């Protein structure tokens, strides 16, 4: 793979861990960033990754993170933005500050990370920035306005960046993850095999996108289990 | 028309004034709200409207506004959210606080207003909330990520609200205004007649949507000049 | 209204009758065309319309129809294409000739009619061509591939025509009718009032689109009952 | 790869040849079908493929093809529909029989092939059917109504099939190929490197989709060169 160092933001168990392992296996150096890195120690050790605590919704925190990465010769040429926050409920019962946080974490923080990354990628005309979306990125569900706002905004960012930065050599991709992801807390019932997305399988599609030559780039890819309604 | 009082947020010259006049002509009482109401005096007098200063991106300000409307027996059964803010430029040169403001004004403030409105409409199972979108609501353009983020988020909010509140009797509609709007500062050249949207014509489509019976509601309507590329 | 003569293709009971009455009331001369015109006699008499038998999926029949209209000084400046055909069922059990007919009637015949109409409208740079779509125009449902094929194709035609002909003065619009339409055979249960689209209400949205000035044209409009899932 | 025999319909030079080579390299037996197979001889020999002449827009021809494949123990568990036909020009100048052919070849023939394939795949609850779309699948361009009609219809078919057949174990995918494909007749200028899609690169994305486990299937994937406007 034609990349060297991947930064995964919103790293925690689940998809981020699968992505980190798959990218490490492909030979990349891995950097993990999350609000809290306590739970990342075992993974970081396993794949020899560095981990950084960072509240990506704060511009100053994102600046500091990238400054430290530059200083450590770990400036990423792959960035995967994987963080989100949501609050659910009837529209009239939502807590405004929770709604604000949903937009901040799911979209504004993604902008901050993507901007810092793009500043470093553009001079070399090389790099990739991948965003993790959801069903809510393209369909606003009842009782879930905050997630729709955050994920629609993230998709708008990704599409605008694709139009602007692809012709400058930066691969921008947006994944629509449509369905639940299997985890320790969420397992498949035996009468519905493969009804949850396997995070390792998702990671293989991210790897494929990073492998695409620039004459055939995907901007958007949907992934869902075979039995998922859509 | 089966409504009594319309609140227009983001009221200023242009589209909001046309909407206010058209709704007043249809017999509704008009309330105008904007960050600054200095420029609204003449219009307010002309159509006998009340006007309120309100920074709709602040939850407390929106609460105060609706409290005052309740006290004045002006609780709206029609709300039109018409405010937006944008900053343009190359992604790497954008000012993060301007980006944040774009999302706050274009989408989060819309949520605050819509939530306050819905709280009052739901007990009567009657009301309409209309959102003004743009080309950027469905297409993220290069050099314009903040507007895409704000307008995509607004559309996600509107779609989620439509799914949740329509079956409770609240008409939710989203307008995709695709093209420039004619104004005192922006006039059509004589060799391209009608190449800018006439705000009075746009207002007629809003009026039509408010006239729709609940068995045939529009959720989304596009409007553009005949010569506009899309 | 700035039009003189409307041709409605696929005229039968239901939506077409409502459109014919609404347009007649707006002062237009009405021409009805359908495969069989036996059932149109009462309506034609009521609104003083002419009716023509025409299998619109045959190029020669469409040529003949428009030739007769020209000869009768009834060349339409409004055309509404309202015909469709569908066959349902599991994909592997569909009858290929029924699938072919679905595409022919729902989309190819629309092209034939629209082409004949556009030939007459373009020299005067004036006219409107409206297409009736369905939920299936934007979402392909299981067990309903033929209808999806026909309605997606119709939407592709309408969008291509909008991009090509709008700047030449022809208003092209596509309606996404999302829900069942009330008819003599299909009535609303009393516990779900207004859960079917009223064809007269739909007709009012068509009338509104025909009333739009060219600086604020809609290309696509969705209509659904308040309680319809989408 | 968990498949055995791939049928490529619309096989000719360019994308089909790249797909055939990539699938052969992955260990699948390859069957090529096209209206004329004269030009396929060299490729067929190179990858040890069988080739069949078949006008896929004729139900009887498709029946015969699949009957022969069954008899030869070459029933495919992968089918790639890659054929299309288009005619371009101003709407009013299009030849109706060419428009009809565009729809027949681009969409109706795809239905015939997909139906015959699905009949054989469903009993084993295993198989994959991939459709090649274009920019015109999601955007109807001026002067190109027939291609929009054919490609929109194909996408409607693919989406309907995905909803119906995915939960029965058949992987349905639709590719939006957005840009010109490099060929002997169409080469990239040196000042715009990689501005045409490389058919081998496209083939790698098809291979990736065939490699996806059923818990993380893509339905739709876009591919375009880095410098392509969209």
């Amino acid at each position: 793979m034609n990349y060297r160092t991947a930064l995964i933001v919103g790293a925690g168990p689940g998809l981020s861990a699968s992505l980190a392992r798959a990218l490490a296996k492909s030979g990349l150096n891995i950097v993990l960033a999350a609000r809290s890195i306590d739970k990342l120690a075992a993974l970081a050790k396993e794949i020899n990754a560095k981990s950084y605590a960072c509240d990506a919704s704060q511009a100053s925190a994102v600046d500091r993170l990238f400054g430290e990465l530059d200083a450590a010769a770990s400036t990423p040429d792959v960035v995967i933005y994987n963080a989100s926050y949501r609050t659910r409920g009837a529209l009239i019962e939502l807590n405004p500050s929770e709604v604000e946080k949903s937009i901040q974490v799911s979209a504004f923080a993604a902008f901050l990370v993507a901007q810092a990354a793009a500043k470093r990628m553009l001079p070399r005309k090389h790099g990739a920035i991948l965003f993790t979306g959801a069903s809510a990125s393209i369909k606003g569900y009842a009782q879930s306005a905050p997630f729709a706002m955050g994920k629609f905004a993230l998709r708008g960012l990704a599409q605008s960046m694709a139009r602007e930065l692809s012709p400058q050599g930066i691969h921008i991709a947006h994944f629509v993850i449509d369905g639940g992801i299997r985890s320790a807390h969420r397992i498949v019932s035996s009468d519905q095999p493969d009804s949850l997305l396997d995070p390792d399988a998702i990671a293989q599609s991210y790897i494929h996108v990073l492998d695409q030559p620039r004459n055939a780039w995907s901007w958007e890819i949907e992934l869902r289990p075979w039995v998922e309604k859509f």
Side-chain angles (χ1 to χ4, degrees), chain A residues 5-6 50 86 99 110 142 150 175 189-190 199:
Chain A
T5 303
K50 296 176 189 169
R86 74 167 105 181
V99 175
F175 291 80
S189 69
S190 58

Side-chain angles (χ1 to χ4, degrees), chain A residues 95-155:
Chain A
N95 178 334
S97 62
E98 288 286 291
V99 175
E100 194 169 16
K101 185 176 172 186
S102 296
I103 304 172
Q104 294 287 322
V105 174
S106 304
F108 178 61
F111 160 75
L112 292 174
V113 169
Q115 186 186 47
K119 282 179 183 173
R120 286 150 177 90
M121 293 172 180
L122 278 173
R124 303 181 227 169
K125 295 186 176 300
H126 175 71
I129 305 175
L130 277 47
F131 299 96
T132 301
S135 338
S137 304
I138 49 173
K139 188 170 174 182
Y141 292 90
Q143 308 273 331
S144 193
F147 202 47
M149 295 177 77
K151 287 298 192 185
F152 270 63
L154 180 71
R155 187 169 182 259

Side-chain angles (χ1 to χ4, degrees), chain A residues 9 50 75-76 93 156 159 202-203:
Chain A
V9 179
K50 296 176 189 169
T75 308
E93 285 163 16
Q159 196 177 91
I202 298 174

